[in-house]
């Protein structure tokens, strides 16, 4: 039995993270090439836990894996 792609027990492969300092989204590919947040230069990042509507749209526009975006389902208010 295989784990879902983005399961907490699966190998870490999130395509987008959150900068620990400026709290902006950081693409994993940018982090691998630059070694830091492209917005503020910080080197510490954390998993993305929540998205606002603008961030969600940015991920869609940048062709981020739909399975990853689906983890952040809509919340009714």
């Amino acid at each position: 039995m295989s784990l879902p792609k983005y399961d907490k027990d699966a190998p870490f492969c999130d395509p987008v993270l959150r900068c620990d300092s400026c709290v902006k989204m950081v693409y994993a590919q940018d982090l691998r090439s630059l070694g830091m947040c492209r917005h503020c230069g910080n080197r510490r990042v954390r998993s993305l836990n929540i998205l606002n509507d603008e961030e969600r749209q940015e991920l869609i526009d940048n062709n981020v894996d739909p399975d990853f975006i689906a983890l952040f389902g809509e919340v009714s208010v």
Side-chain angles (χ1 to χ4, degrees):
M1 182 171 122
S2 66
L3 295 169
K5 191 184 319 183
Y6 299 108
D7 188 82
K8 66 179 177 84
D9 295 324
F12 187 80
C13 63
D14 289 8
V16 183
L17 304 158
R18 177 114 22 225
C19 176
D20 200 42
S21 181
C22 71
V23 196
K24 293 189 179 181
M25 290 191 311
V26 178
Y27 290 86
Q29 63 196 23
D30 291 343
L31 192 58
R32 282 191 288 274
S33 64
L34 298 173
M36 62 185 165
C37 173
R38 65 185 164 101
H39 303 285
C40 72
N42 185 34
R43 295 177 185 260
R44 295 185 61 180
V45 293
R46 57 185 164 196
S47 296
L48 198 61
N49 292 324
I50 191 167
L51 291 174
N52 62 37
D53 292 337
E54 293 169 3
E55 291 172 332
R56 182 181 181 84
Q57 190 59 49
E58 180 183 333
L59 295 181
I60 292 168
D61 293 345
N62 287 314
N63 298 317
V64 171
D65 184 359
D67 291 339
F68 181 74
I69 296 172
L71 296 173
F72 305 94
E74 304 227 1
V75 177
S76 59
V77 187

